[in-house]
Amino acid sequence: MDIYQENILDHHRNPRNWKLLDPYDFHASDENPLCGDTLEITLRVDENDRVVAVGWDGHGCAISQAAASMLGEEIIGKTLDEIKQLDKDVVLDLIGIPLSVSRVKCALLSLKVLKSAVYNLESQQ
Amino acid sequence: MDIYQENILDHHRNPRNWKLLDPYDFHASDENPLCGDTLEITLRVDENDRVVAVGWDGHGCAISQAAASMLGEEIIGKTLDEIKQLDKDVVLDLIGIPLSVSRVKCALLSLKVLKSAVYNLESQQ
Amino acid sequence: MYDVARIRQDFPILSQPHPSGKPLVFLDSAASSQKPSVVIDAMTNYYRTQHANVHRGIYALSEAATHAYEAARDKVKSFINAEQREEIIFTSNTTGSINLIVQTWGRQNLENGNVVVLTAMEHHANIVPWQILAAEKGFQIKYIPVTSDYLLDLEVFERILSEGNVKAVSVGHVSNVLGTINPVEHIIERAHAFGAIAIVDGAQSVPHLPVDVQALDVDFYAFSGHKMCGPTGIGILYGKRHLLEAMPPWQGGGDMIARVTLEGATWNDLPYKFEAGTPAIAEAIGLGAAVDYLQGIGMEAIHQHEAELGVYARERLAEVEGVQCYNPAPPYASGVATFTLEGVHPHDLAQILDYEGVAVRAGHHCAMPLHREVLCIHASVRASFYLYSTREEVDTLIACLQVARQRFL
Amino acid sequence: MYDVARIRQDFPILSQPHPSGKPLVFLDSAASSQKPSVVIDAMTNYYRTQHANVHRGIYALSEAATHAYEAARDKVKSFINAEQREEIIFTSNTTGSINLIVQTWGRQNLENGNVVVLTAMEHHANIVPWQILAAEKGFQIKYIPVTSDYLLDLEVFERILSEGNVKAVSVGHVSNVLGTINPVEHIIERAHAFGAIAIVDGAQSVPHLPVDVQALDVDFYAFSGHKMCGPTGIGILYGKRHLLEAMPPWQGGGDMIARVTLEGATWNDLPYKFEAGTPAIAEAIGLGAAVDYLQGIGMEAIHQHEAELGVYARERLAEVEGVQCYNPAPPYASGVATFTLEGVHPHDLAQILDYEGVAVRAGHHCAMPLHREVLCIHASVRASFYLYSTREEVDTLIACLQVARQRFL
Ligand SMILES: Cc1ncc(COP(=O)(O)O)c(C=O)c1O
Ligand SMILES: Cc1ncc(COP(=O)(O)O)c(C=O)c1O
């Protein structure tokens, strides 16, 4: 099935929260070296560790960028603990269309960066 | 065609000149390491460099031993120069039956040792 | 019930006429096995309908090829009961798998003063790579001797271990000459007790017996596709993940990298770190089909069948005057009968048997040290059995031996 | 007359339906070519009637297999006009061939202070093996840069040579990304003038152009079977005999030895010194059939056909708004069109094209340094043509690009 459904293309053309926050509480960036997709995420949380703002920046294919845009919307209002629980199905469900093996990595880059941010894994990059 | 014709088996069972000469004028020995066949040849020549006696010793398959026996008979009376001219067809003709690639090496061991002897290549062994 | 007649129908070559006009009696499966139709067809079908280069091709054909290639890895993983698919690396053959270990793990971990333990019954593939590296690094190779019963001398092994500095023990699971099934579980356990890693050459075991790498607790296990009903051009290396992770790559190139710059490169994840360049795609798919085929019949049943044939063959060989066999007694024996016939050189014997349609191997079987230094012969004749071999084929072999004796004596 | 319609009938996969239901438009032959029936059948037939392990088997089947295997070597020898059959070594792929050179010739001859010259357009297979050895030995790697015309900067090459200490120059004959046909004859001549050996990565040339290693006077030449209508699992290394003779072996094992004792080994003659273990027998036979097939059509005719398609494709691509091509002008161009489309990531483009049955490659094509450090992009789309490609397929590609543009913008 064609993965470039209207919602994917819409998020790709008009990415939500596509601007890094400054200041921020959490931050991480990563790259999928094989395809060159890059992603950087910033988060701001309230006193209950609940995400109040997301900002991201990146370059890559429509799948990786749309996934970042959708995931960013999804996590607003979630606690850091809830984010730590997220698994890849959340992203794949947001995409909504089955992805081939070679594209799953594109979709999951944003989740990987998000987790790095909340686990404070910045220094490992 | 079956290479174990009566003449081959006869030379195998009753090898001619199967005894090293002592003293000798020329000598060489070699081994086909892959199959373990060994051969040692001694020659005596007259004042015209004509072979007057051959003696050999060795172990190996019927083809390599019969070839040595036949070749030994063949070269008696030949000059060293004539022996240097011998090519592999002489041996293959003596055998008389087409050999498969894997057995040609067996047949040619004696020619190789003979040439080493007349070229005085002993030291290379 | 083990239905060998039905199994033979799966192998097209077994119903081909031999050049002699007589039926083919193929008794050289230890060198390379024949292939069932399912294996040949899997590859043909792949090339006719599915071929494209694997990995990172974003189109249906390449994804199908990648899927088929990786499915083969999963099949091999289950077949030898590896814990993770990342532990299965495709190479070119057993030889390639052992060279990989030696040139990566060995080059990284072995130095002057260390000892590597091999056995006097090893195939050249498990001797020469170690000798090459030893000449460069200066470590020592010690060999477990072979007893007059054609078994490994485990007392000497224990002594070698206690002499110290042993870093690796590498042994064949089943000898390709003697057919001896070595007590690798014990050997691995002892190697570990002395802090050494244990490597097993499984070229002659995986095709013939159930093998469970986790139960063995083996560190590396190497085998070939072509001896187990699979195609030529592919081998397998199993390695424990933590060891593979710590090893440097061997060959550099495409697919094994994460990132390359003009200054240097970083490595891809397992198993790809060790699979440089376009892999043997069709061959992996054929191997996967071979695994399915063997599992369908059952490795325990295959082993049983071959062991019985081995016993029968050695019994019948004992009837032939002048025959000497070089095989251990059960339970250490497998489906191999290796022998000499007095007065007839092994090469001549093999040739005469071929005139009768019987294919056996004659020579040192890539185990020169075993022949020269242990058995004290230059060559032997080996009849090796596989799932498709029959008692009638053994009978033909014996009848032909009698004829050969008559002709030569 | 070049009859592409007739040629297409030789390739079973080209008449298979694509999952999309549309006809398959296969434009990824530079990654791996499709196979004609004659190649598939040669291997099938081998497995069904002729398989046995090669070399030293004294029975008809093994001799037939050995004969077929060695006949393939002779075919390859003639195909690239090598002087001697001993100069043709079978490996696993181009990557394996280059690693062999680096780990034998390189390990023996390179040391701190030496320079190896590569180019910025090399495939990872001709970069990473050198980097791995350089990290160990301390020699330096210098890269010939790529000009804005997508050609090698030969002035810089000359400067590098004159800076001294160059021991080897290793270049791709045809770039797998740019399609650039490099002036290897000149490069080899200059390398020799400075006392360096010359190595050519022929993975993208042997399948597409006439290649004459003697005319080139090249020292080593590497290529793959699977890119030239042959099977996966086999590669070729040509080397000048005197160099191969002087080199130590790479992998140890069966077939590559003359004699093995527990203390050490001596090596077999060429080419076997470099072919350890059971070789890729069926694959060599398939490769031989591929050589026959390509020669039947004629390499000059194939090159002509592809070059014309390349010109046509780049002309048509220029009509598409937002397309940028990364290929040189004729006569340096070959049957490759590599491009980006503004606003559509290469991976998305490849995926959308696949929905229309068009298979192209998207990514860095195992040439990350070229993409990042020369073209300054992360990825590109590559359409690569072969003897079976048609103008209609180019037209389909262009039509689909237009559709993709519409959808994304
Ligand atoms: C120029 C070049 N060199 C080397 C290779 C590596 O070939 P293989 O993957 O068959 O080893 C390729 C193929 O991708 C290539 O295009
Ligand atoms: C015990 C053993 N080890 C290693 C090998 C080498 O296998 P290959 O030639 O497939 O690399 C063989 C096969 O001859 C073998 O029998």
mmCIF file of all heavy atoms in Angstrom, chain D residues 227-265:
data_model
loop_
_atom_site.group_PDB
_atom_site.id
_atom_site.type_symbol
_atom_site.label_atom_id
_atom_site.label_comp_id
_atom_site.label_asym_id
_atom_site.label_seq_id
_atom_site.Cartn_x
_atom_site.Cartn_y
_atom_site.Cartn_z
ATOM 1 N N LYS D 227 27.383 -8.863 -11.074
ATOM 2 C CA LYS D 227 27.081 -7.632 -11.821
ATOM 3 C C LYS D 227 27.191 -7.842 -13.321
ATOM 4 O O LYS D 227 26.968 -6.924 -14.101
ATOM 5 C CB LYS D 227 28.037 -6.509 -11.400
ATOM 6 C CG LYS D 227 27.850 -6.080 -9.942
ATOM 7 C CD LYS D 227 28.677 -4.846 -9.628
ATOM 8 C CE LYS D 227 28.867 -4.661 -8.149
ATOM 9 N NZ LYS D 227 27.794 -3.897 -7.510
ATOM 10 N N MET D 228 27.637 -9.015 -13.751
ATOM 11 C CA MET D 228 27.878 -9.270 -15.174
ATOM 12 C C MET D 228 27.086 -10.477 -15.652
ATOM 13 O O MET D 228 27.581 -11.302 -16.402
ATOM 14 C CB MET D 228 29.380 -9.450 -15.435
ATOM 15 C CG MET D 228 30.061 -10.488 -14.586
ATOM 16 S SD MET D 228 31.874 -10.505 -14.834
ATOM 17 C CE MET D 228 31.967 -11.365 -16.421
ATOM 18 N N CYS D 229 25.830 -10.559 -15.195
ATOM 19 C CA CYS D 229 24.915 -11.629 -15.602
ATOM 20 C C CYS D 229 25.241 -12.962 -14.947
ATOM 21 O O CYS D 229 24.592 -13.974 -15.244
ATOM 22 C CB CYS D 229 24.888 -11.822 -17.125
ATOM 23 S SG CYS D 229 24.227 -10.398 -17.987
ATOM 24 N N GLY D 230 26.227 -12.986 -14.077
ATOM 25 C CA GLY D 230 26.591 -14.225 -13.393
ATOM 26 C C GLY D 230 25.938 -14.304 -12.025
ATOM 27 O O GLY D 230 25.194 -13.409 -11.603
ATOM 28 N N PRO D 231 26.225 -15.391 -11.303
ATOM 29 C CA PRO D 231 25.601 -15.618 -9.996
ATOM 30 C C PRO D 231 26.216 -14.780 -8.876
ATOM 31 O O PRO D 231 27.309 -14.226 -9.036
ATOM 32 C CB PRO D 231 25.869 -17.095 -9.742
ATOM 33 C CG PRO D 231 27.095 -17.405 -10.515
ATOM 34 C CD PRO D 231 27.077 -16.511 -11.723
ATOM 35 N N THR D 232 25.549 -14.731 -7.770
ATOM 36 C CA THR D 232 26.128 -14.195 -6.542
ATOM 37 C C THR D 232 27.155 -15.212 -6.041
ATOM 38 O O THR D 232 27.236 -16.335 -6.521
ATOM 39 C CB THR D 232 25.049 -13.992 -5.460
ATOM 40 O OG1 THR D 232 24.355 -15.234 -5.242
ATOM 41 C CG2 THR D 232 24.043 -12.930 -5.890
ATOM 42 N N GLY D 233 27.964 -14.794 -5.076
ATOM 43 C CA GLY D 233 28.868 -15.752 -4.428
ATOM 44 C C GLY D 233 30.178 -15.975 -5.154
ATOM 45 O O GLY D 233 30.937 -16.861 -4.765
ATOM 46 N N ILE D 234 30.477 -15.191 -6.193
ATOM 47 C CA ILE D 234 31.773 -15.364 -6.853
ATOM 48 C C ILE D 234 32.317 -14.026 -7.333
ATOM 49 O O ILE D 234 31.570 -13.173 -7.837
ATOM 50 C CB ILE D 234 31.713 -16.381 -8.015
ATOM 51 C CG1 ILE D 234 33.147 -16.719 -8.495
ATOM 52 C CG2 ILE D 234 30.840 -15.883 -9.171
ATOM 53 C CD1 ILE D 234 33.235 -18.001 -9.286
ATOM 54 N N GLY D 235 33.605 -13.846 -7.110
ATOM 55 C CA GLY D 235 34.305 -12.668 -7.604
ATOM 56 C C GLY D 235 35.577 -13.127 -8.278
ATOM 57 O O GLY D 235 35.930 -14.313 -8.230
ATOM 58 N N ILE D 236 36.259 -12.190 -8.904
ATOM 59 C CA ILE D 236 37.451 -12.540 -9.665
ATOM 60 C C ILE D 236 38.554 -11.559 -9.307
ATOM 61 O O ILE D 236 38.312 -10.358 -9.169
ATOM 62 C CB ILE D 236 37.188 -12.461 -11.184
ATOM 63 C CG1 ILE D 236 36.033 -13.373 -11.588
ATOM 64 C CG2 ILE D 236 38.456 -12.834 -11.971
ATOM 65 C CD1 ILE D 236 34.670 -12.724 -11.610
ATOM 66 N N LEU D 237 39.753 -12.101 -9.161
ATOM 67 C CA LEU D 237 40.925 -11.250 -9.044
ATOM 68 C C LEU D 237 41.901 -11.652 -10.133
ATOM 69 O O LEU D 237 42.319 -12.819 -10.191
ATOM 70 C CB LEU D 237 41.600 -11.409 -7.680
ATOM 71 C CG LEU D 237 42.930 -10.649 -7.563
ATOM 72 C CD1 LEU D 237 42.731 -9.151 -7.729
ATOM 73 C CD2 LEU D 237 43.606 -10.953 -6.236
ATOM 74 N N TYR D 238 42.220 -10.693 -10.998
ATOM 75 C CA TYR D 238 43.316 -10.896 -11.925
ATOM 76 C C TYR D 238 44.556 -10.292 -11.285
ATOM 77 O O TYR D 238 44.489 -9.202 -10.693
ATOM 78 C CB TYR D 238 43.037 -10.192 -13.262
ATOM 79 C CG TYR D 238 44.318 -9.954 -14.051
ATOM 80 C CD1 TYR D 238 44.870 -10.969 -14.827
ATOM 81 C CD2 TYR D 238 44.999 -8.737 -13.980
ATOM 82 C CE1 TYR D 238 46.063 -10.774 -15.511
ATOM 83 C CE2 TYR D 238 46.195 -8.538 -14.659
ATOM 84 C CZ TYR D 238 46.725 -9.567 -15.423
ATOM 85 O OH TYR D 238 47.906 -9.380 -16.089
ATOM 86 N N GLY D 239 45.690 -10.969 -11.405
ATOM 87 C CA GLY D 239 46.951 -10.404 -10.928
ATOM 88 C C GLY D 239 48.071 -10.854 -11.838
ATOM 89 O O GLY D 239 48.039 -11.968 -12.366
ATOM 90 N N LYS D 240 49.036 -9.998 -12.029
ATOM 91 C CA LYS D 240 50.195 -10.397 -12.834
ATOM 92 C C LYS D 240 50.917 -11.526 -12.111
ATOM 93 O O LYS D 240 51.133 -11.470 -10.898
ATOM 94 C CB LYS D 240 51.155 -9.223 -13.008
ATOM 95 C CG LYS D 240 50.735 -8.253 -14.082
ATOM 96 C CD LYS D 240 51.817 -7.203 -14.289
ATOM 97 C CE LYS D 240 51.339 -6.117 -15.231
ATOM 98 N NZ LYS D 240 52.174 -4.902 -15.124
ATOM 99 N N ARG D 241 51.318 -12.501 -12.876
ATOM 100 C CA ARG D 241 51.863 -13.712 -12.282
ATOM 101 C C ARG D 241 53.029 -13.454 -11.326
ATOM 102 O O ARG D 241 53.077 -14.007 -10.231
ATOM 103 C CB ARG D 241 52.302 -14.668 -13.385
ATOM 104 C CG ARG D 241 52.793 -15.972 -12.802
ATOM 105 C CD ARG D 241 52.910 -17.041 -13.850
ATOM 106 N NE ARG D 241 53.148 -18.315 -13.189
ATOM 107 C CZ ARG D 241 52.790 -19.478 -13.689
ATOM 108 N NH1 ARG D 241 52.165 -19.526 -14.832
ATOM 109 N NH2 ARG D 241 53.044 -20.582 -13.032
ATOM 110 N N HIS D 242 53.976 -12.596 -11.745
ATOM 111 C CA HIS D 242 55.160 -12.433 -10.893
ATOM 112 C C HIS D 242 54.778 -11.804 -9.548
ATOM 113 O O HIS D 242 55.396 -12.096 -8.524
ATOM 114 C CB HIS D 242 56.248 -11.632 -11.620
ATOM 115 C CG HIS D 242 55.962 -10.167 -11.748
ATOM 116 N ND1 HIS D 242 56.481 -9.230 -10.887
ATOM 117 C CD2 HIS D 242 55.173 -9.499 -12.608
ATOM 118 C CE1 HIS D 242 56.038 -8.037 -11.246
ATOM 119 N NE2 HIS D 242 55.248 -8.160 -12.283
ATOM 120 N N LEU D 243 53.738 -10.993 -9.538
ATOM 121 C CA LEU D 243 53.282 -10.418 -8.267
ATOM 122 C C LEU D 243 52.601 -11.490 -7.416
ATOM 123 O O LEU D 243 52.854 -11.605 -6.215
ATOM 124 C CB LEU D 243 52.319 -9.263 -8.529
ATOM 125 C CG LEU D 243 52.938 -8.009 -9.156
ATOM 126 C CD1 LEU D 243 51.858 -7.029 -9.586
ATOM 127 C CD2 LEU D 243 53.886 -7.346 -8.153
ATOM 128 N N LEU D 244 51.733 -12.256 -8.057
ATOM 129 C CA LEU D 244 51.018 -13.306 -7.316
ATOM 130 C C LEU D 244 52.003 -14.334 -6.746
ATOM 131 O O LEU D 244 51.831 -14.817 -5.626
ATOM 132 C CB LEU D 244 50.008 -14.013 -8.225
ATOM 133 C CG LEU D 244 48.829 -13.171 -8.721
ATOM 134 C CD1 LEU D 244 48.007 -13.967 -9.735
ATOM 135 C CD2 LEU D 244 47.940 -12.721 -7.566
ATOM 136 N N GLU D 245 53.030 -14.645 -7.539
ATOM 137 C CA GLU D 245 54.016 -15.628 -7.080
ATOM 138 C C GLU D 245 54.714 -15.134 -5.808
ATOM 139 O O GLU D 245 55.009 -15.909 -4.906
ATOM 140 C CB GLU D 245 55.093 -15.868 -8.154
ATOM 141 C CG GLU D 245 54.607 -16.482 -9.454
ATOM 142 C CD GLU D 245 54.479 -18.003 -9.401
ATOM 143 O OE1 GLU D 245 54.577 -18.575 -8.305
ATOM 144 O OE2 GLU D 245 54.240 -18.595 -10.473
ATOM 145 N N ALA D 246 54.988 -13.831 -5.780
ATOM 146 C CA ALA D 246 55.769 -13.284 -4.663
ATOM 147 C C ALA D 246 54.932 -13.059 -3.415
ATOM 148 O O ALA D 246 55.473 -12.840 -2.322
ATOM 149 C CB ALA D 246 56.425 -11.967 -5.096
ATOM 150 N N MET D 247 53.626 -13.113 -3.555
ATOM 151 C CA MET D 247 52.749 -12.798 -2.423
ATOM 152 C C MET D 247 52.567 -14.003 -1.506
ATOM 153 O O MET D 247 52.505 -15.136 -1.962
ATOM 154 C CB MET D 247 51.370 -12.359 -2.946
ATOM 155 C CG MET D 247 51.303 -10.892 -3.325
ATOM 156 S SD MET D 247 50.090 -10.515 -4.641
ATOM 157 C CE MET D 247 48.598 -11.227 -3.980
ATOM 158 N N PRO D 248 52.429 -13.749 -0.199
ATOM 159 C CA PRO D 248 52.067 -14.846 0.698
ATOM 160 C C PRO D 248 50.600 -15.204 0.458
ATOM 161 O O PRO D 248 49.857 -14.399 -0.100
ATOM 162 C CB PRO D 248 52.235 -14.217 2.085
ATOM 163 C CG PRO D 248 51.979 -12.758 1.876
ATOM 164 C CD PRO D 248 52.492 -12.451 0.489
ATOM 165 N N PRO D 249 50.180 -16.390 0.855
ATOM 166 C CA PRO D 249 48.757 -16.700 0.722
ATOM 167 C C PRO D 249 47.941 -15.848 1.682
ATOM 168 O O PRO D 249 48.492 -15.209 2.583
ATOM 169 C CB PRO D 249 48.676 -18.172 1.100
ATOM 170 C CG PRO D 249 49.858 -18.419 1.959
ATOM 171 C CD PRO D 249 50.924 -17.472 1.499
ATOM 172 N N TRP D 250 46.636 -15.841 1.483
ATOM 173 C CA TRP D 250 45.757 -15.093 2.383
ATOM 174 C C TRP D 250 45.091 -16.075 3.330
ATOM 175 O O TRP D 250 45.451 -16.161 4.497
ATOM 176 C CB TRP D 250 44.725 -14.320 1.557
ATOM 177 C CG TRP D 250 43.803 -13.462 2.362
ATOM 178 C CD1 TRP D 250 44.075 -12.846 3.545
ATOM 179 C CD2 TRP D 250 42.459 -13.099 2.019
ATOM 180 N NE1 TRP D 250 42.978 -12.113 3.950
ATOM 181 C CE2 TRP D 250 41.974 -12.245 3.042
ATOM 182 C CE3 TRP D 250 41.614 -13.401 0.952
ATOM 183 C CZ2 TRP D 250 40.691 -11.703 3.019
ATOM 184 C CZ3 TRP D 250 40.347 -12.845 0.928
ATOM 185 C CH2 TRP D 250 39.890 -12.002 1.954
ATOM 186 N N GLN D 251 44.136 -16.852 2.817
ATOM 187 C CA GLN D 251 43.439 -17.798 3.674
ATOM 188 C C GLN D 251 44.146 -19.150 3.616
ATOM 189 O O GLN D 251 44.582 -19.587 2.567
ATOM 190 C CB GLN D 251 41.995 -17.947 3.220
ATOM 191 C CG GLN D 251 41.235 -16.629 3.300
ATOM 192 C CD GLN D 251 39.731 -16.829 3.198
ATOM 193 O OE1 GLN D 251 39.191 -17.787 3.736
ATOM 194 N NE2 GLN D 251 39.061 -15.917 2.523
ATOM 195 N N GLY D 252 44.226 -19.802 4.767
ATOM 196 C CA GLY D 252 44.828 -21.125 4.823
ATOM 197 C C GLY D 252 43.753 -22.194 4.816
ATOM 198 O O GLY D 252 42.635 -21.959 5.273
ATOM 199 N N GLY D 253 44.092 -23.387 4.299
ATOM 200 C CA GLY D 253 43.133 -24.477 4.322
ATOM 201 C C GLY D 253 43.424 -25.492 3.247
ATOM 202 O O GLY D 253 44.548 -25.569 2.753
ATOM 203 N N GLY D 254 42.413 -26.255 2.871
ATOM 204 C CA GLY D 254 42.577 -27.270 1.849
ATOM 205 C C GLY D 254 42.817 -26.637 0.492
ATOM 206 O O GLY D 254 42.499 -25.467 0.274
ATOM 207 N N ASP D 255 43.413 -27.412 -0.407
ATOM 208 C CA ASP D 255 43.614 -27.016 -1.804
ATOM 209 C C ASP D 255 44.687 -25.959 -2.013
ATOM 210 O O ASP D 255 45.237 -25.854 -3.099
ATOM 211 C CB ASP D 255 42.320 -26.485 -2.449
ATOM 212 C CG ASP D 255 41.417 -27.615 -2.898
ATOM 213 O OD1 ASP D 255 41.832 -28.780 -2.790
ATOM 214 O OD2 ASP D 255 40.298 -27.332 -3.353
ATOM 215 N N MET D 256 44.990 -25.139 -0.999
ATOM 216 C CA MET D 256 45.982 -24.073 -1.234
ATOM 217 C C MET D 256 47.368 -24.502 -0.776
ATOM 218 O O MET D 256 48.312 -23.743 -0.899
ATOM 219 C CB MET D 256 45.557 -22.747 -0.608
ATOM 220 C CG MET D 256 45.250 -22.703 0.864
ATOM 221 S SD MET D 256 46.652 -22.919 1.976
ATOM 222 C CE MET D 256 47.433 -21.318 1.807
ATOM 223 N N ILE D 257 47.497 -25.721 -0.289
ATOM 224 C CA ILE D 257 48.780 -26.192 0.229
ATOM 225 C C ILE D 257 49.420 -27.215 -0.703
ATOM 226 O O ILE D 257 48.742 -27.851 -1.500
ATOM 227 C CB ILE D 257 48.618 -26.850 1.611
ATOM 228 C CG1 ILE D 257 47.542 -27.956 1.561
ATOM 229 C CG2 ILE D 257 48.252 -25.837 2.657
ATOM 230 C CD1 ILE D 257 47.996 -29.287 1.147
ATOM 231 N N ALA D 258 50.736 -27.342 -0.620
ATOM 232 C CA ALA D 258 51.418 -28.448 -1.280
ATOM 233 C C ALA D 258 51.632 -29.553 -0.254
ATOM 234 O O ALA D 258 51.474 -30.728 -0.537
ATOM 235 C CB ALA D 258 52.747 -27.992 -1.858
ATOM 236 N N ARG D 259 52.003 -29.158 0.959
ATOM 237 C CA ARG D 259 52.306 -30.133 1.995
ATOM 238 C C ARG D 259 52.032 -29.494 3.353
ATOM 239 O O ARG D 259 52.361 -28.333 3.576
ATOM 240 C CB ARG D 259 53.780 -30.517 1.885
ATOM 241 C CG ARG D 259 54.225 -31.636 2.794
ATOM 242 C CD ARG D 259 55.726 -31.627 2.981
ATOM 243 N NE ARG D 259 56.446 -31.698 1.712
ATOM 244 C CZ ARG D 259 56.932 -32.830 1.202
ATOM 245 N NH1 ARG D 259 56.803 -33.954 1.860
ATOM 246 N NH2 ARG D 259 57.568 -32.819 0.054
ATOM 247 N N VAL D 260 51.445 -30.262 4.233
ATOM 248 C CA VAL D 260 51.190 -29.774 5.594
ATOM 249 C C VAL D 260 51.780 -30.764 6.582
ATOM 250 O O VAL D 260 51.575 -31.973 6.457
ATOM 251 C CB VAL D 260 49.678 -29.631 5.884
ATOM 252 C CG1 VAL D 260 49.448 -29.143 7.314
ATOM 253 C CG2 VAL D 260 49.025 -28.689 4.903
ATOM 254 N N THR D 261 52.523 -30.256 7.536
ATOM 255 C CA THR D 261 52.937 -31.081 8.669
ATOM 256 C C THR D 261 52.435 -30.378 9.925
ATOM 257 O O THR D 261 51.880 -29.270 9.853
ATOM 258 C CB THR D 261 54.470 -31.209 8.760
ATOM 259 O OG1 THR D 261 55.001 -29.920 9.112
ATOM 260 C CG2 THR D 261 55.061 -31.648 7.429
ATOM 261 N N LEU D 262 52.650 -31.001 11.071
ATOM 262 C CA LEU D 262 52.218 -30.346 12.302
ATOM 263 C C LEU D 262 53.032 -29.076 12.538
ATOM 264 O O LEU D 262 52.606 -28.190 13.272
ATOM 265 C CB LEU D 262 52.352 -31.306 13.496
ATOM 266 C CG LEU D 262 51.422 -32.536 13.436
ATOM 267 C CD1 LEU D 262 51.655 -33.436 14.633
ATOM 268 C CD2 LEU D 262 49.953 -32.126 13.375
ATOM 269 N N GLU D 263 54.179 -28.978 11.891
ATOM 270 C CA GLU D 263 55.038 -27.804 12.118
ATOM 271 C C GLU D 263 54.768 -26.653 11.160
ATOM 272 O O GLU D 263 55.087 -25.506 11.465
ATOM 273 C CB GLU D 263 56.523 -28.193 12.008
ATOM 274 C CG GLU D 263 57.044 -28.974 13.200
ATOM 275 C CD GLU D 263 56.472 -30.382 13.283
ATOM 276 O OE1 GLU D 263 56.394 -31.050 12.223
ATOM 277 O OE2 GLU D 263 56.065 -30.807 14.377
ATOM 278 N N GLY D 264 54.281 -26.950 9.981
ATOM 279 C CA GLY D 264 54.095 -25.867 9.025
ATOM 280 C C GLY D 264 53.665 -26.406 7.678
ATOM 281 O O GLY D 264 53.476 -27.612 7.511
ATOM 282 N N ALA D 265 53.538 -25.497 6.715
ATOM 283 C CA ALA D 265 53.005 -25.899 5.418
ATOM 284 C C ALA D 265 53.762 -25.204 4.301
ATOM 285 O O ALA D 265 54.409 -24.179 4.508
ATOM 286 C CB ALA D 265 51.523 -25.547 5.338
#
